[in-house]
Every structure is written in structure tokens, then in C-alpha cells.
Amino acid sequence: MPNPNTRLIAGAYTALVTPFRDGQIDEARLAENIENQIAAGMTGVVPVGTTGESPTLSHAEHQTVIEKTVQAVNGRCQVVAGTGSNATTEALSLTRHAQRAGADAALMVNPYYNKPSQEGLYRHFMAVADAVDLPIVLYNIPGRTNVTMSADTVARLAKHDNIVAVKEATGSLDLASEILQKAGDDLTVISGDDSLTLPLMAVGATGVISVLGNLYPRKIVELVGAAAAGDFSVARRVHRDIFPLCQAMLSLAVNPVVIKTALKLQRQDTGELRLPLCEMPAEDEAVLKALLEDQALEAAVS
């Protein structure tokens, strides 16, 4: 049984990269990143999501990353394991494994490629929620799935005790506001875009599942903590500080190419990716390197 306190998804979470070395999962580097997240005060970590390159992991690797993450965390923060799939049976199997492994919650993306209707989305998530005793975070990201879950569907799903939050990555403040209005206290909304964390928290979101947290976890913790406390002066300062990098994470290349390249440049990862993802063009990497140098310079001055 998960800790009842973890049913509240609120705070700063990092969507972990899956580090590779010579084509294999680099378990030592994964553990190091997790230690960095905990030391920075992250509420939780999210293995094998989009940032964790879940589409290119075998089922065995997927399970290994979750198990190794739970072991490394050892109860010191939440583990929200990615368990989504476009096949309901596969999503159920992955979610059951996450529960057995000791994850605190599951992150389930909208089924991709097969483009289900709103009723199909509802039945998909309900089938998993009915079969497991694990808090579920819905993941609304049409840019990856080609389907958007409506506010009405989210509100219907929020009536289930096991469906506790939605990761909003549609880029729409209107849709997030509509979900908050229609679902009310039945679930929380958490940002899925670093650049929109502050705006979303201003309308009622409870935090972020961050890509940039892999690189600057303390800044993400500071931003979310300040916004949650109503200190928007501090939150705006941090938002403006990291905004150029937030933009770069999505504009220079697809996630997680940019964050892995940034980690490589900071000597925190090999930067290795799995096909069909590949390295950034040299000119784009130079732009990223300049942004990182500006960030380091600003930190030294402050």
C-alpha cells in the first residue's frame, strides 16, 4: 500500500533522464542524479517518462529503472513511475509492476498513435485505476500523443479515488483553468512545462514535473516553493532567470536531446541517446553552451 500522504501530488518533481553508457543503462549515474535531486529538496522523481526515453527501453529495462529508482530513493522522496502505453493491457501490466516495486504513484500518458475518443480515454484510465491500488497522475500531452483529454473527461476520471492529479502539458492555460474549475478538489493539476510552471501555479496548479530539474534542481525547488507560498516576487525572479533555458529545452531539439546535451556539457552525463534520437547539430549545441555559460555567470554574480 502506498503512503496516503503521497496521494497529494504537489511540489517540485524531476522527470529523470535515463543515462546510458555504451548502449546500456548507467545505473551508477542514475543513482547520482537521484542523490542530487534529494539533496536539492525535490518532492519527488519521475523515472521512465518522456524525458527518460521510455519509448526506446525494453520492458525489462523499463522495470529495472523503476526498481533502481525506488531502491536509490529509499523513501526519501516520492517516486512517480511512468507506466503509460497505447495498449490498456500493457499500461495495466506496467502499473502493476510499479506498485510491486514500491513506487508511490504512476504517471500515465494518454494512449498515443491509435487516437482514442474521449470515451475510449475514460475507459482506458478507469480500467487501470480499478485494477490497482496506486495513485495515478494523468498526463495530457497532445504534442506527443496526438490526442487531448478534455476537461470534462479529466473531471469524470477525477471521481475515482485512485486518480489524483493531471500533468498538464497542453500549453493551454485555458484548458488547465477549465480542469481546475470542473474537477475542483477531486484532483490536483501539475505543470508539465518548465516555462509554464509559474503561470499555471498562479491559476491553481500545485507544482511541476520538470525537465530542467535534472540540471538545476535547486532553482526548480526555489521557484515552486516561492509560488506555493505566495511569494511571487521571488518566483518571478527565478522564472525569468531560467526562462531562456526553458525555451531552449523545447526549441533547439526534441526532449530529451537538449537536457542530455546540457548534462554532457556540464559533465553530469555521457549525453548518449538511443535511436531514433540523435545528437544536436553543432551550431545548436553552441547556442546551448552559451546559454549555460550565461547561467553560470549570472549565478556567480548573484
Side-chain angles (χ1 to χ4, degrees):
M1 290 286 289
N3 184 332
N5 292 330
T6 65
R7 290 184 177 267
L8 176 61
I9 301 297
Y13 299 76
T14 291
L16 297 173
V17 299
T18 300
F20 300 122
R21 186 178 294 277
D22 299 326
Q24 303 301 311
I25 295 169
D26 188 342
E27 295 180 7
R29 183 70 75 176
L30 175 65
E32 288 174 12
N33 192 8
I34 291 168
E35 290 302 319
N36 290 340
Q37 302 304 316
I38 294 170
M42 278 285 174
T43 308
V45 292
V46 184
V48 289
T50 305
T51 308
E53 293 177 78
S54 56
T56 62
L57 298 180
S58 70
H59 284 183
E61 288 175 323
H62 188 117
Q63 293 176 354
T64 293
V65 173
I66 292 174
E67 291 164 4
K68 295 298 181 182
T69 300
V70 171
Q71 291 169 15
V73 165
N74 195 26
R76 292 176 292 168
C77 71
Q78 293 181 27
V79 176
V80 182
T83 65
S85 173
N86 62 337
T88 304
T89 52
E90 183 174 290
L92 178 55
S93 175
L94 292 171
T95 307
R96 281 175 168 158
H97 169 264
Q99 182 175 350
R100 291 194 303 271
D104 297 297
L107 176 69
M108 290 186 59
V109 71
N110 290 347
Y112 40 86
Y113 189 77
N114 41 18
K115 299 177 70 172
S117 65
Q118 294 299 309
E119 181 63 24
L121 288 170
Y122 175 78
R123 295 185 191 185
H124 169 83
F125 289 111
M126 286 293 289
V128 179
D130 282 342
V132 299
D133 188 16
L134 192 68
I136 291 172
V137 180
L138 308 172
Y139 185 8
N140 211 6
I141 182 166
R144 295 278 183 171
T145 63
N146 209 24
V147 61
T148 303
M149 188 156 36
S150 71
D152 287 333
T153 301
V154 174
R156 284 179 73 194
L157 288 165
K159 299 298 182 184
H160 198 293
D161 287 343
N162 284 340
I163 296 176
V164 300
V166 58
K167 178 183 176 183
E168 248 303 302
T170 62
S172 171
L173 283 171
D174 282 355
L175 180 57
S177 297
E178 189 179 357
I179 290 171
L180 286 160
Q181 178 186 37
K182 292 184 174 179
D185 294 332
D186 288 332
L187 93 169
T188 57
V189 172
I190 192 160
S191 174
D193 292 308
D194 279 303
S195 63
L196 291 178
T197 301
L198 178 56
L200 282 168
M201 291 190 73
V203 299
T206 61
V208 64
I209 295 177
S210 169
V211 174
L212 196 57
N214 285 281
L215 190 63
Y216 296 122
R218 294 185 188 277
K219 288 184 179 290
I220 303 304
V221 169
E222 183 181 13
L223 190 158
V224 170
D231 190 347
F232 285 95
S233 176
V234 170
R236 281 193 297 269
R237 173 181 57 77
V238 181
H239 170 77
R240 290 167 182 163
D241 182 29
I242 65 173
F243 185 68
L245 277 171
C246 293
Q247 286 185 305
M249 289 295 144
L250 295 177
S251 64
L252 291 178
V254 70
N255 182 43
V257 174
V258 184
I259 187 62
K260 277 203 157 181
T261 305
L263 290 166
K264 179 192 70 174
L265 290 169
Q266 300 291 75
R267 296 192 173 104
Q268 296 180 43
D269 190 76
T270 63
E272 191 174 322
L273 298 148
R274 279 191 175 172
L275 288 172
L277 298 183
C278 63
E279 69 277 2
M280 299 167 61
E283 58 270 26
D284 290 337
E285 184 169 327
V287 171
L288 177 61
K289 184 177 180 181
L291 284 171
L292 293 172
E293 289 172 350
D294 288 344
Q295 186 74 37
L297 181 61
E298 290 175 10
V301 171
S302 62

